[in-house]
Amino acid sequence: MHFNLALLLVILTAVSGLVWLVDWLFFAKARRRRVEALGDLGALPAEERRLREEAALREPTLVEYARSFFPVLLLILVVRSFIAEPFKIPSGSMMPTLLVGDFILVNKFSYGVRLPVLNTKVLDTGAPQRGDVAVFRFPRDPRQDYIKRVIGVPGDQVTYRNRTLYVNGQPVPDTYIGPYVGPSEPGGPNLAGAQVKDENLLGVEHRVLIRPNQPPGPEGTWTVQEGQYFVMGDSRDNSADSRFWGFVPEENLVGKAFLIWMNCSGSFCTGGFDLSRIGTVIR
């Protein structure tokens, strides 16, 4: 069952704000009038007078909660919708750049400002560039968020053959770094013999993971149409990406991943933390 956090935040913010506004416009004034109707309380002891005034002005519990939570909910909604949103990496398709258990931040301002829930763009602030690590809503099931690297932008021709990537007819240079050393994907394929390469995608350098002992991904040539993007995982032999299911429409873009702020393993981080990955910039 898919949990729509954005929709829940919008509803809670709207309801708490509405409760607070209605009380401020109508009921708060009535409470102040009740204090005025108490008459001359000067003859009463100061403490009793204070208690009566407090009782007359006291907000209902619902209003008190709404007034307390509305600013917090509004701040979370604004930050999450328009500035940065956290995501957790669920699979090893972006190894070695991103590992299972990485918690990342995504810049929501990179590819245009969109309204929460509706995803309607209200301000154009830029477009994905080759080499960006982008989060997007999966075209075949927009309820799921995917993360891949942008390989082809509108107008590009992308070819993948014999584990070599070509963009616009030119092979993308790569340099062998060495065997992969690091954590494996829990429940994922065997990493024995996996190789790390430094790939230069038209000036954007990043590392990819090649598994010569595994069957290669689909091969072919794809021409990127206007409003579409071709994406691939950095773990080239273990990534369900545009080679399998096609292009990412522009309207499915969520934002650009830019920082790892935490890494932990196991349910509710019971497997421990990897402090060395905190603060890692995503390239």
Side-chain angles (χ1 to χ4, degrees):
M1 180 177 176
H2 179 71
F3 180 68
N4 194 328
L5 180 58
L7 178 60
L8 179 62
L9 273 174
V10 169
I11 293 174
L12 290 176
T13 304
V15 170
S16 60
L18 182 62
V19 169
W20 188 16
L21 178 63
V22 170
D23 178 76
W24 180 76
L25 289 175
F26 302 103
F27 300 105
K29 295 179 181 179
R31 291 195 295 271
R32 287 193 293 271
R33 286 195 294 269
R34 285 200 297 270
V35 171
E36 296 171 359
L38 290 175
D40 184 11
L41 300 176
L44 294 174
E47 181 64 17
E48 185 175 347
R49 175 178 179 140
R50 183 184 64 81
L51 291 175
R52 289 193 183 188
E53 289 180 348
E54 287 181 355
L57 289 172
R58 185 174 297 122
E59 295 176 339
T61 302
L62 178 62
V63 175
E64 186 178 351
Y65 277 115
R67 180 171 57 83
S68 300
F69 284 112
F70 173 70
V72 178
L73 290 169
L74 181 62
L75 178 63
I76 294 173
L77 179 63
V78 170
V79 170
R80 186 182 183 275
S81 301
F82 305 121
I83 301 176
E85 183 176 357
F87 286 90
K88 182 182 179 182
I89 302 302
S91 73
S93 69
M94 284 296 293
M95 294 173 67
T97 305
L98 297 172
L99 305 178
V100 176
D102 280 344
F103 288 78
I104 66 171
L105 288 177
V106 174
N107 186 339
K108 301 296 291 288
F109 199 77
S110 298
Y111 306 143
V113 176
R114 298 178 182 272
L115 295 177
V117 181
L118 298 177
N119 294 310
T120 303
K121 184 186 287 189
V122 294
L123 180 64
D124 191 358
T125 58
Q129 305 297 310
R130 297 185 199 92
D132 284 2
V133 177
V135 172
F136 54 91
R137 289 177 286 113
F138 183 39
R140 294 186 178 179
D141 184 0
R143 297 174 300 173
Q144 298 185 48
D145 291 317
Y146 270 34
I147 182 167
K148 305 292 179 186
R149 190 176 297 276
V150 177
I151 302 298
V153 298
D156 283 346
Q157 185 181 77
V158 178
T159 299
Y160 192 71
R161 185 181 303 115
N162 296 326
R163 289 193 169 94
T164 300
L165 179 64
Y166 301 80
V167 176
N168 297 326
Q170 299 297 317
V172 175
D174 59 42
T175 304
Y176 175 71
I177 300 298
Y180 174 74
V181 178
S184 60
E185 178 184 0
N190 192 334
L191 288 175
Q195 303 173 354
V196 177
K197 292 187 176 183
D198 190 10
E199 188 174 83
N200 190 326
L201 181 60
L202 282 69
V204 179
E205 294 188 1
H206 61 278
R207 293 192 170 181
V208 297
L209 190 66
I210 304 298
R211 304 178 183 182
N213 298 332
Q214 299 287 333
E219 297 182 340
T221 298
W222 300 266
T223 300
V224 187
Q225 303 299 318
E226 191 64 33
Q228 307 278 337
Y229 295 91
F230 188 92
V231 299
M232 295 177 68
D234 286 350
S235 182
R236 292 291 161 78
D237 303 310
N238 183 42
S239 173
D241 48 40
S242 289
R243 295 171 292 174
F244 291 85
W245 41 256
F247 304 109
V248 176
E250 188 273 338
E251 59 268 22
N252 284 47
L253 295 170
V254 174
K256 179 181 178 181
F258 68 95
L259 185 73
I260 299 171
W261 61 274
M262 187 177 73
N263 174 284
C264 69
S265 58
S267 300
F268 302 103
C269 295
T270 54
F273 297 83
D274 183 352
L275 302 181
S276 67
R277 296 190 63 75
I278 295 177
T280 302
V281 176
I282 299 172
R283 293 184 174 88

